[in-house]
Amino acid sequence: MFEVRSWLRFVLVLVVAVSLLIGALGCGAPVEEVDAPEEDAVVEEEAIEDSADPADEEADAEEGEVSEAQDEDFDVDNWRNPTGVQEIVNNFSELEWSWARVVDGEEADSTVLSYRHEGSETVEGVDAEVLVFTLDGEAFKFWVDDDGRTVQAEVQGEIIPGQFVDTMAEGLLTGLFVPFRAVEEFGFYEALRETTPGVKWSAVSTETEKFGDLEAEVTRLEVVVGPPLTPEGEEGTAILGVGDFGDFQMLVEWDWAEVTGDGDLAVTYSLSKAVPR
């Protein structure tokens, strides 16, 4: 019979691993929206209304601290990045993805996860969405209310009522969304849409790929992340795949090509299936 102590031990190990990963990923300052840099020289009002001086545009392009969208045809207008239960329930009926830590250039602790929405049920008078997460072949079933609170879970065939499970489930579910949370930590979505300090990117390829029965046009980007998003002396280069599924876009691949400085911990991520609701 399943014991709550076993569940607690499992969640504790997972949360510790996740905390280490998020701590390493989020070691830089959080991304904040910034205003465009002001001109050094005083410009007459008539000149401001005119188009930008080509010389000024060339000088701006040479700034190494900021990024600009370099491909006018590449547009991200309906971004989906599920960082929690409510977002995944609202947007997807199925997802399958994998992620791994990268230590000293080698993948470690590779994890394959899948999510499936199994409809709605009433548990002790509470309307709940039924969610099944499979972690490396082991299924975890959750009944979640409209506020994202777990009212019941099933683990190893054993039903665990809400008064025991909500806090434990929160830790497990947080761990499942690590790659998506890391995307938010680095502010990649904002960097694809507007000038962002510490991020430079360029599109390197575009091709059509399948994710289960769904096709997407995947644009791969080379993204260089440095200060102020990372500590001084540290810089990372990642390949990001952004999939355009027609009605929405989401990150389908994340692979660190290089990390310099003391940052020896990164993450890889790959989406293999997506079924929107």
Side-chain angles (χ1 to χ4, degrees), residues 110-204:
S110 179
T111 302
V112 178
L113 305 104
S114 65
Y115 153 82
R116 184 173 72 254
H117 181 267
E118 291 196 344
S120 303
E121 294 181 7
T122 300
V123 178
E124 296 184 356
V126 178
D127 293 334
E129 306 288 342
V130 185
L131 320 177
V132 176
F133 290 91
T134 302
L135 175 64
D136 289 335
E138 184 171 1
F140 298 85
K141 193 170 185 177
F142 300 93
W143 286 257
V144 179
D145 67 13
D146 291 339
D147 296 323
R149 185 177 64 90
T150 302
V151 296
Q152 181 176 277
E154 181 180 333
V155 182
Q156 297 179 0
E158 193 77 16
I159 295 294
I160 307 173
Q163 62 263 37
F164 297 113
V165 75
D166 188 38
T167 301
M168 295 183 287
E170 182 179 356
L172 176 60
L173 292 173
T174 296
L176 297 179
F177 294 106
V178 162
F180 307 107
R181 289 176 180 270
V183 170
E184 299 298 327
E185 289 283 344
F186 278 123
F188 284 138
Y189 170 63
E190 291 82 359
L192 297 178
R193 296 176 57 86
E194 60 189 39
T195 297
T196 301
V199 182
K200 297 178 291 183
W201 68 267
S202 60
V204 295

Side-chain angles (χ1 to χ4, degrees), residues 31-49:
V31 176
E32 297 180 355
E33 293 187 4
V34 295
D35 296 328
E38 298 180 357
E39 296 291 339
D40 292 333
V42 177
V43 184
E44 296 294 332
E45 182 175 353
E46 294 83 1
I48 295 177
E49 296 176 354

Side-chain angles (χ1 to χ4, degrees), residues 6-24 99 101 135 165-178 181:
S6 299
W7 166 264
L8 280 168
R9 186 165 52 251
F10 173 81
V11 171
L12 179 60
V13 171
L14 181 61
V15 170
V16 169
V18 169
S19 299
L20 290 172
L21 178 58
I22 292 179
W99 62 272
R101 294 189 303 133
L135 175 64
V165 75
D166 188 38
T167 301
M168 295 183 287
E170 182 179 356
L172 176 60
L173 292 173
T174 296
L176 297 179
F177 294 106
V178 162
R181 289 176 180 270

Side-chain angles (χ1 to χ4, degrees), residues 182-262:
V183 170
E184 299 298 327
E185 289 283 344
F186 278 123
F188 284 138
Y189 170 63
E190 291 82 359
L192 297 178
R193 296 176 57 86
E194 60 189 39
T195 297
T196 301
V199 182
K200 297 178 291 183
W201 68 267
S202 60
V204 295
S205 68
T206 301
E207 55 189 318
T208 301
E209 298 182 17
K210 295 198 71 173
F211 299 85
D213 294 331
L214 207 60
E215 283 191 348
E217 184 178 81
V218 178
T219 300
R220 284 183 170 79
L221 315 169
E222 183 179 77
V223 181
V224 180
V225 183
L229 196 56
T230 63
E232 287 295 331
E234 292 189 15
E235 184 178 273
T237 301
I239 301 298
L240 269 64
V242 177
D244 189 337
F245 291 86
D247 295 332
F248 67 95
Q249 298 89 27
M250 70 179 296
L251 190 71
V252 300
E253 180 183 315
W254 176 355
D255 186 13
W256 283 100
E258 183 179 0
V259 179
T260 61
D262 296 330

